[in-house]
């Protein structure tokens, strides 16, 4: 495998509704900032890959217009995934592995604000048996939370602690949408949204985007003083129908973690794509993390959850901490689908 | 050192306006099982599934691959979804091939599909967005002005498009999977069909189809094993993708630069210096008849302004020296999200010698081509009977 690193990153300031910006206007400054930071010329990337969702944009081929944000003239080698940007990064990483590229620009974005996001996400379910019932993403997550509590994986009190810890941690994250939390006792006395989930258990609805620059080998060292090397990366899917799955466990995360080599060394920091509080212990267990790992120091998706970008942001938050020298080894997790169905795990390391 | 990649299994459904007898998973499994059977494999042999289709709005299912994981045997495996406009399932095939080429997986299943009977694609493409120009009349309405510009520039005879449509629809009669089997088609019937978007007539337009196409790709060892059992693989010689913006000053939509760059790249990587001579057969994305002469020029098979002469001279016919779309092409079958992969896969079938009645004798090197968006996204591959 070729050595590939994240050498530059940028994010938008994540907000509930970027009402005055369209997707191009939202992502263009973010892409520009990442390119500037890398010191690579804007026409010098060997490959560009992005992730977004037509259903969020309310438009077929919505990514076509967003191509305007990357100055694809003269023409570029480019691709797009209808998945979180973490998978766009994966495609770029594969491209670099083939030897057809040494550098890549990756970006993703989501504007959830124009629609009713939990209802929109119900369209992601099986079209014959589930989608006709219009269960929202929160209804679906609540089913998983119920099972997790019943099986002793977590409790409402622990979930409130996770919400409190995450949002207070986000106070130091300049991009976060929610940056403080009421006390745990106050959280627990609030109304249920979908029992056992309360509002604090759910990630906020967010508009935002993220951009990442990848480079291989010496190219990475040339453009970054402390590259965040992708030592392992893998993604796996579980089945869709919840009656075929034990919702308390995420076997696909375990497989991806093993393939990515999570257990090959200490995990100083982990950024987990847990959009609901009860998912954090499920992901931690599947990754085999113990209490020595700092989880979601950025605040995680509970502090800002731009759809299609929140997974890639997990890699960015780990990479940033490696770039700064704060940590030497960390794990990033990204998810797609309902109830942790599709999962990507990456191990990032600094040198020396 | 990149791994050599072989296509060892191909499966497709019969294309039709409405496949009312199967569900979405059922449609995909039909193509997938045929590809697996062709490859002498089962789902257990597959390391990863790579899927592509046109916009989710066409079936009204958001990221449908999640509910297809079990049906595609992908539980516990990676499943990957590519989305790059009309070029999508060509791009999907390329992403699948790169997972093998990069040494990440040994055997990959890739599938492209569309169930267009679930919606009206033309209007799904014509939604009104704030601050964006509305497409109003679907893809044909968008492309017609550029076709008129091509005619004005090249001086091509008015009936060039009729000849292309007639050829492709007659080719389709040899392809049991083709959607349109118009046994009574004639030059006159195409000419007399209703004008939809001048100069594109009804019979010069692609149909709306349901269908799926699947391929199994393996590393060199897998290709060698298939060959040793007498099952000819299609070896991938080169792949390329290029994109350019929908709107850019100086952009030529008649012969877009991204298409020229993509063709130049794929031919160079494949060691091809004279495409007209070295490519034996091409499956090229021609959704409206006039795109045959336009792509002949854009791909470098003909000098600018002369592509139509090849069509008129019969060069692109089955018995010509550069057959274009012996499968009948997009003009005869168009499940949008599979149409690119059908081009790639039909090219592979040709160099495997497994194209049945539509086989071109002696085809050893073939081009698969797809394009999309405002003629701005391109994906291409060159496959051969011999190892690259």
């Amino acid at each position: 495998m070729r050595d590939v690193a994240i050498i530059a990153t940028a994010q938008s300031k994540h907000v509930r509704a970027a009402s005055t910006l369209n997707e191009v206007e939202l992502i263009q400054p973010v892409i520009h900032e990442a390119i500037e930071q890398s010191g690579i010329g804007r026409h010098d990337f060997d490959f560009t890959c992005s992730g977004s969702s037509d259903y969020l944009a309310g438009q077929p081929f919505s990514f076509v217009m967003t191509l305007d944000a990357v100055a694809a003239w003269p023409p570029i080698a480019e691709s797009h995934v209808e998945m979180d940007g973490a998978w766009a990064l994966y495609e770029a990483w594969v491209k670099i592995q083939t030897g057809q590229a040494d550098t890549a620009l990756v970006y993703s974005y989501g504007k959830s604000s124009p629609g009713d996001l939990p209802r929109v996400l119900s369209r992601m379910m099986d079209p014959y048996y589930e989608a006709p019932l219009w269960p929202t993403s929160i209804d679906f997550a609540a089913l998983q939370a119920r099972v997790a509590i019943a099986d002793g994986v977590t409790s409402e009190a622990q979930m409130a602690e996770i919400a409190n810890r995450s949002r207070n941690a986000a106070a130091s994250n300049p991009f976060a949408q929610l940056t403080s939390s009421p006390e745990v006792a106050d959280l627990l006395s609030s109304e249920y949204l979908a029992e056992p989930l309360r509002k604090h258990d759910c990630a906020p609805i967010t508009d935002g985007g993220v951009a990442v620059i990848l480079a291989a080998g010496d190219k990475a060292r040339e453009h970054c003083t402390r590259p965040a090397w992708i030592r392992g990366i893998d993604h796996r899917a579980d089945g869709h129908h919840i009656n075929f799955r034990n919702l308390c466990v995420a076997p696909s995360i375990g497989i991806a973690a093993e393939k990515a080599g999570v257990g090959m060394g200490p995990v100083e920091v982990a950024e987990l794509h847990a959009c609901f509080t009860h998912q954090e212990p499920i992901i931690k267990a599947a990754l085999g993390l113990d209490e020595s790992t700092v989880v979601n120091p950025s605040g995680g998706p509970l502090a800002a959850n731009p759809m299609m970008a929140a997974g890639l942001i997990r890699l960015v938050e780990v990479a940033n901490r490696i770039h700064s020298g704060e940590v030497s080894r960390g794990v990033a997790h990204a998810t797609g689908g309902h109830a942790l169905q599709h999962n990507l795990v990456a191990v990032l390391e600094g040198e020396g | 050192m990149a791994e050599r990649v072989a296509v060892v299994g191909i499966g497709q459904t019969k294309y039709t306006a409405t496949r009312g007898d199967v569900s979405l998973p059922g449609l995909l499994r039909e193509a997938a099982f045929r590809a697996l059977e062709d490859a002498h494999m089962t789902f257990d042999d597959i390391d990863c599934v790579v899927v592509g289709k046109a916009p989710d709005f066409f079936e009204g299912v958001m990221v449908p691959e999640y509910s297809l994981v079990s049906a595609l045997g992908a539980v516990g495996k990676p499943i990957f979804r590519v989305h790059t406009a009309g070029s999508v399932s060509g791009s999907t095939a390329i992403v699948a091939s790169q997972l093998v080429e990069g040494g990440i997986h040994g055997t990959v299943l890739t599938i492209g599909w569309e169930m267009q009977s679930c919606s009206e694609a033309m209007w799904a493409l014509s939604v009104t967005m704030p601050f964006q120009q509305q497409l109003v009349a679907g893809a044909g309405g968008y492309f017609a002005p550029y076709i008129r510009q091509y005619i004005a520039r090249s001086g091509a005879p008015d009936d060039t498009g009729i000849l292309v449509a007639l050829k492709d629809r007659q080719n389709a009669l040899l392809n049991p999977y083709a959607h349109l089997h118009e046994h009574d088609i004639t030059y006159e019937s195409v000419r007399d069909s209703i004008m939809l978007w001048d100069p594109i007539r009804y019979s010069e337009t692609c149909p709306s189809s349901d269908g799926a196409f699947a391929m199994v790709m393996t590393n060199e060892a897998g290709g060698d094993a298939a060959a040793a059992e007498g099952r000819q693989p299609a070896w991938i010689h080169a792949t390329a993708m290029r994109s350019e913006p929908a709107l850019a000053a100086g952009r030529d939509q008649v012969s877009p630069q991204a298409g020229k760059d993509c063709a130049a790249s794929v031919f160079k990587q494949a060691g091809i210096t004279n495409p007209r001579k070295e490519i034996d057969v091409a499956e090229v994305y021609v959704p409206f008849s006039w795109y045959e002469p336009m792509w002949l020029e854009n791909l470098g098979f003909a000098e600018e302004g002369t592509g139509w002469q090849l069509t008129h001279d019969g060069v692109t016919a089955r018995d010509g020296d550069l057959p274009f779309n012996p499968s009948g092409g997009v003009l005869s079958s168009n499940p949008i999200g599979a149409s690119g992969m059908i081009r790639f896969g039909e090219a592979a079938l040709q160099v495997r010698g497994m194209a049945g009645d539509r086989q071109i004798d002696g085809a050893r090197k073939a081009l698969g081509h797809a394009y999309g968006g405002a003629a701005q996204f391109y994906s291409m591959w060159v496959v051969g009977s011999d190892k690259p």
Side-chain angles (χ1 to χ4, degrees):
Chain A
M1 290 286 136
R2 298 184 75 195
D3 287 331
V4 181
I6 294 175
I7 63 163
T9 71
Q11 298 180 50
S12 62
K13 167 78 178 106
H14 306 303
V15 295
R16 174 62 182 82
S19 310
T20 60
L21 301 175
N22 68 19
E23 281 84 349
V24 183
E25 293 163 333
L26 177 77
I27 196 64
Q28 196 277 338
V30 178
I31 292 170
H32 182 75
E33 190 188 331
I35 291 175
E36 285 281 301
Q37 202 186 100
S38 74
I40 296 172
R42 61 197 271 257
H43 295 298
D44 295 335
F45 292 96
D46 300 325
F47 187 59
T48 299
C49 198
S50 60
S52 68
S53 164
D54 280 354
Y55 258 77
L56 292 182
Q59 181 184 23
F61 298 131
S62 58
F63 61 91
V64 172
M65 291 300 165
T66 322
L67 194 60
D68 287 347
V70 297
W73 186 260
I76 59 173
E78 186 263 352
S79 187
H80 172 266
V81 300
E82 194 79 353
M83 295 187 283
D84 186 281
W87 279 268
L89 178 140
Y90 183 85
E91 184 176 333
W93 175 82
V94 170
K95 189 78 163 186
I96 294 173
Q97 293 305 328
T98 66
Q100 290 175 23
D102 292 328
T103 56
L105 163 65
V106 178
Y107 63 96
S108 67
Y109 55 90
K111 268 194 78 175
S112 300
S113 60
D116 177 350
L117 182 64
R119 300 273 285 175
V120 170
L121 293 177
S122 75
R123 302 301 84 205
M124 201 158 63
M125 290 168 193
D126 175 286
Y128 302 98
Y129 299 105
E130 291 166 357
L133 304 171
W134 288 87
T136 69
S137 51
I138 295 168
D139 296 337
F140 226 64
L143 289 174
Q144 185 182 37
R146 267 175 188 257
V147 181
I149 291 169
D151 277 25
V153 173
T154 189
S155 64
E156 292 184 31
Q158 188 195 21
M159 287 155 60
E161 283 164 19
I162 288 168
N164 174 278
R165 187 206 75 222
S166 298
R167 295 192 175 116
N168 285 333
S172 60
N173 177 356
F175 309 109
Q177 178 184 348
L178 303 178
T179 55
S180 65
S181 168
E183 294 302 321
V184 169
D186 296 332
L187 293 177
L188 285 171
S189 64
S190 62
E191 296 282 309
Y192 286 116
L193 205 57
E195 193 175 350
L197 297 180
R198 299 178 172 88
K199 193 175 179 189
H200 66 257
D201 291 310
C202 309
I205 293 171
T206 309
D207 290 352
V210 58
V212 168
I213 310 295
L214 294 182
D218 289 341
K219 198 97 178 176
R221 293 184 187 91
E222 185 188 325
H223 289 277
C224 182
T225 48
R226 190 172 149 86
W229 298 102
I230 300 170
R231 293 298 186 216
I233 186 166
D234 194 84
H235 69 101
R236 301 280 150 171
D238 286 311
H240 178 74
H241 300 280
I242 53 170
N243 48 328
F244 294 169
R245 292 172 60 194
N246 176 354
L247 293 173
C248 285
V249 293
S252 60
I253 299 178
I255 301 169
E258 195 196 327
K259 298 276 180 188
V262 170
M264 307 283 277
V267 181
E268 295 166 62
V269 64
E271 281 280 343
L272 310 180
H273 196 173
C275 295
F276 299 92
T277 50
H278 69 271
Q279 291 179 342
E280 185 179 295
I282 296 174
I283 301 167
K284 271 180 74 175
L287 288 171
L289 302 181
D290 60 28
E291 295 313 308
S292 67
T293 300
V294 176
V295 172
N296 288 351
S298 71
L302 292 172
N305 185 36
M307 296 293 296
M308 319 314 285
L312 181 55
I313 290 170
R314 306 282 67 78
L315 282 103
V316 163
E317 290 292 346
V318 174
N320 289 349
R321 283 164 177 78
I322 289 169
H323 291 160
S324 71
E326 186 185 330
V327 302
S328 292
R329 190 170 190 273
V331 167
H333 159 263
T335 198
H338 290 288
L340 300 172
Q341 193 197 341
H342 190 202
N343 297 283
L344 179 144
V345 176
V347 175
L348 302 180
E349 285 181 10
E351 273 173 335
Chain B
M1 183 65 197
E3 181 75 44
R4 288 188 173 117
V5 188
V7 179
V8 298
I10 291 176
Q12 58 185 312
T13 65
K14 167 79 173 92
Y15 306 111
T16 181
T18 305
R19 250 325 271 275
D21 62 323
V22 287
S23 62
L24 189 57
L27 182 78
L28 270 68
R29 282 165 71 90
E30 198 171 294
F33 280 126
R34 285 172 182 174
L36 288 168
E37 189 182 1
D38 184 24
H40 289 206
M41 290 183 191
T42 69
F43 278 134
D44 289 345
D45 299 303
I46 299 299
D47 300 323
C48 173
V49 179
V50 182
V51 301
K53 65 175 300 296
D56 293 352
F57 289 109
F58 284 13
E59 285 95 359
V61 188
M62 183 181 185
V63 281
E65 60 273 18
Y66 288 142
S67 59
L68 291 164
V69 164
S70 299
L72 298 180
V75 173
K77 296 176 186 177
I79 187 163
F80 199 91
R81 163 79 186 282
V82 181
H83 186 28
T84 65
S87 61
V88 60
S89 53
S91 310
T92 305
I94 290 175
V95 172
S97 76
Q98 288 182 340
L99 286 162
V100 178
E101 189 185 351
I104 292 123
H105 298 300
T107 307
V108 176
L109 171 67
T110 186
I111 309 175
W113 77 90
E114 211 66 66
M115 255 192 163
Q116 284 189 237
S117 60
C118 295
S119 75
E120 172 50 73
M122 191 171 100
W123 299 116
L125 288 172
S126 303
V127 294
T128 308
M129 295 301 290
F131 310 112
Q132 282 181 21
Q133 190 178 2
Q134 199 190 353
L135 203 50
V136 185
Y142 183 86
F143 291 123
Y146 302 109
I147 293 173
R148 291 200 293 274
Q149 176 66 13
Y150 171 76
I151 296 169
R153 281 188 204 176
S154 66
D158 288 347
D159 67 350
T160 306
I162 297 172
L163 295 178
V164 174
L166 184 63
K167 166 186 70 84
D168 281 3
R169 296 266 166 94
Q170 284 178 334
N171 283 347
L173 296 174
L174 299 173
N175 178 1
Y177 300 105
H179 177 169
L180 299 179
H181 284 148
E182 299 182 329
H183 295 277
D184 301 330
I185 194 169
T186 62
Y187 179 96
E188 290 73 22
S189 72
V190 178
R191 183 193 63 199
D192 296 341
S193 65
I194 190 171
M195 189 65 82
L196 293 180
W197 308 276
D198 194 358
I200 308 170
R201 295 171 178 83
Y202 179 76
S203 291
E204 297 178 71
T205 304
C206 53
S208 257
S209 313
D210 286 357
F213 197 101
M215 287 191 279
V216 176
M217 299 181 199
T218 64
N219 54 21
E220 185 167 8
D224 287 343
E229 291 176 15
R231 291 178 288 118
Q232 169 75 49
W235 294 97
I236 299 175
H237 287 217
T239 65
M241 289 162 69
R242 287 293 183 280
S243 311
E244 66 184 43
L247 303 167
R251 183 172 180 244
D252 181 8
Q253 294 213 49
V254 176
S255 188
Q257 191 61 41
K260 292 179 184 174
D261 291 357
C262 194
S265 172
V266 83
F267 289 141
K268 185 176 176 216
Q269 291 176 64
I272 290 170
T273 53
N274 185 343
R276 170 80 193 274
K277 199 156 165 263
E278 294 175 63
I279 292 291
D280 299 317
V281 55
E283 282 282 341
V284 175
Y285 204 107
V286 178
F288 304 103
S289 58
W290 281 91
Y291 269 90
E292 174 172 300
M294 289 163 72
W295 293 144
L296 276 163
E297 296 173 25
N298 188 252
L299 288 163
F301 289 119
E303 293 294 320
E304 206 147 294
T306 67
W308 60 269
Q309 293 172 9
L310 272 60
T311 299
H312 281 265
D313 292 345
V315 171
T316 56
R318 278 187 55 76
D319 56 357
D321 67 31
L322 182 62
F324 253 45
N325 295 323
S327 69
V330 182
L331 279 174
S332 304
S333 315
N334 187 35
I336 297 184
S339 288
M341 196 178 291
I342 298 171
R343 308 280 74 69
F344 280 47
E346 285 286 338
L349 281 171
Q350 289 287 345
V351 300
R352 295 175 76 198
M354 294 177 66
D357 290 343
R358 59 198 185 284
Q359 179 71 43
I360 301 297
D361 286 341
R364 300 195 63 80
K365 206 170 272 191
L367 171 73
H369 162 281
Y371 87 102
Q376 66 190 118
F377 297 97
Y378 294 84
S379 58
M380 303 179 194
W381 81 6
V382 171
V383 283
S385 313
D386 301 315
K387 282 187 188 178

